Amino acid sequence: KEPAATIVEMLKDVTSYEGEDAVFECRLSRDTAQEAQWFLGDVPLQSNEMNEIRVQGTRHTLILRKVTLEDCGPISFKVGQHTSAA
Protein backbone atom coordinates (compact mmCIF):
# COMPACT_ATOMS: atom_id res chain seq x y z
CA LYS A 1 0.00 0.00 0.00
CA GLU A 2 1.48 3.32 -1.03
CA PRO A 3 2.04 5.97 1.64
CA ALA A 4 -0.35 8.92 1.41
CA ALA A 5 0.91 12.01 -0.37
CA THR A 6 0.91 15.25 1.62
CA ILE A 7 0.63 18.82 0.36
CA VAL A 8 4.05 20.47 0.53
CA GLU A 9 3.24 23.66 -1.35
CA MET A 10 -0.10 25.14 -0.31
CA LEU A 11 -2.45 27.14 -2.51
CA LYS A 12 -1.91 30.88 -2.61
CA ASP A 13 -4.71 33.44 -2.80
CA VAL A 14 -5.20 34.78 -6.33
CA THR A 15 -6.79 38.07 -7.33
CA SER A 16 -7.81 38.43 -10.94
CA TYR A 17 -9.99 40.73 -12.99
CA GLU A 18 -13.10 39.72 -14.90
CA GLY A 19 -12.15 38.11 -18.21
CA GLU A 20 -8.68 37.03 -17.01
CA ASP A 21 -7.53 33.50 -16.20
CA ALA A 22 -6.93 32.59 -12.55
CA VAL A 23 -4.20 30.00 -11.91
CA PHE A 24 -3.92 27.94 -8.71
CA GLU A 25 -1.03 25.57 -7.99
CA CYS A 26 -0.39 22.96 -5.34
CA ARG A 27 2.57 20.64 -4.94
CA LEU A 28 2.47 17.19 -3.33
CA SER A 29 5.21 15.32 -1.50
CA ARG A 30 5.18 12.61 -4.16
CA ASP A 31 3.50 11.37 -7.31
CA THR A 32 0.33 9.60 -6.33
CA ALA A 33 -2.39 7.50 -7.87
CA GLN A 34 -4.64 8.84 -5.09
CA GLU A 35 -7.65 10.77 -6.27
CA ALA A 36 -7.00 14.52 -6.11
CA GLN A 37 -9.96 16.90 -6.45
CA TRP A 38 -10.41 20.66 -6.90
CA PHE A 39 -13.46 22.50 -5.53
CA LEU A 40 -14.99 25.95 -5.98
CA GLY A 41 -16.92 26.35 -2.73
CA ASP A 42 -18.57 22.91 -2.30
CA VAL A 43 -18.70 22.18 -6.04
CA PRO A 44 -16.21 19.65 -7.40
CA LEU A 45 -14.52 20.95 -10.56
CA GLN A 46 -14.01 18.96 -13.76
CA SER A 47 -11.63 19.69 -16.60
CA ASN A 48 -13.74 21.35 -19.35
CA GLU A 49 -13.81 24.49 -21.50
CA MET A 50 -14.07 26.70 -18.39
CA ASN A 51 -11.57 24.92 -16.11
CA GLU A 52 -8.30 23.27 -16.99
CA ILE A 53 -6.92 20.76 -14.50
CA ARG A 54 -3.32 19.67 -15.06
CA VAL A 55 -1.09 17.21 -13.28
CA GLN A 56 2.65 17.29 -13.98
CA GLY A 57 4.40 14.94 -11.61
CA THR A 58 3.83 16.32 -8.11
CA ARG A 59 2.47 19.68 -9.35
CA HIS A 60 -1.32 20.04 -9.60
CA THR A 61 -2.64 23.11 -11.43
CA LEU A 62 -6.13 24.53 -11.80
CA ILE A 63 -6.78 27.24 -14.41
CA LEU A 64 -10.13 29.02 -14.29
CA ARG A 65 -10.55 30.55 -17.75
CA LYS A 66 -11.95 34.07 -18.25
CA VAL A 67 -13.28 34.38 -14.72
CA THR A 68 -16.53 36.19 -13.94
CA LEU A 69 -17.87 37.53 -10.65
CA GLU A 70 -19.74 34.21 -10.23
CA ASP A 71 -16.36 32.45 -10.00
CA CYS A 72 -15.52 34.40 -6.84
CA GLY A 73 -15.21 32.16 -3.80
CA PRO A 74 -12.98 29.71 -1.97
CA ILE A 75 -10.94 27.29 -4.08
CA SER A 76 -9.78 24.12 -2.36
CA PHE A 77 -7.65 21.16 -3.32
CA LYS A 78 -8.06 17.80 -1.58
CA VAL A 79 -5.95 14.67 -1.70
CA GLY A 80 -6.61 11.89 0.80
CA GLN A 81 -7.04 13.52 4.22
CA HIS A 82 -5.18 16.69 3.20
CA THR A 83 -6.75 19.95 2.06
CA SER A 84 -5.40 23.33 0.99
CA ALA A 85 -7.63 26.36 0.34
CA ALA A 86 -7.29 29.85 -1.13
Side-chain angles (χ1 to χ4, degrees), residues 9-84:
E9 198 176 293
M10 295 296 196
L11 289 175
K12 293 175 183 61
D13 288 340
V14 171
T15 302
S16 49
Y17 293 97
E18 222 172 346
E20 291 182 344
D21 290 353
V23 180
F24 297 88
E25 276 194 343
C26 230
R27 208 156 55 79
L28 301 181
S29 57
R30 53 192 291 287
D31 282 3
T32 181
Q34 251 181 316
E35 201 50 42
Q37 179 69 63
W38 291 93
F39 294 87
L40 172 56
D42 297 330
V43 181
L45 298 176
Q46 307 293 324
S47 218
N48 57 32
E49 65 280 350
M50 299 302 297
N51 317 311
E52 185 179 338
I53 296 172
R54 285 191 206 148
V55 180
Q56 293 164 300
T58 59
R59 185 173 302 284
H60 290 252
T61 307
L62 168 67
I63 302 166
L64 299 179
R65 302 209 173 279
K66 298 185 176 57
V67 295
T68 64
L69 291 173
E70 286 79 53
D71 295 317
C72 190
I75 293 285
S76 57
F77 175 79
K78 294 185 174 130
V79 62
Q81 299 300 304
H82 304 281
T83 304
S84 178

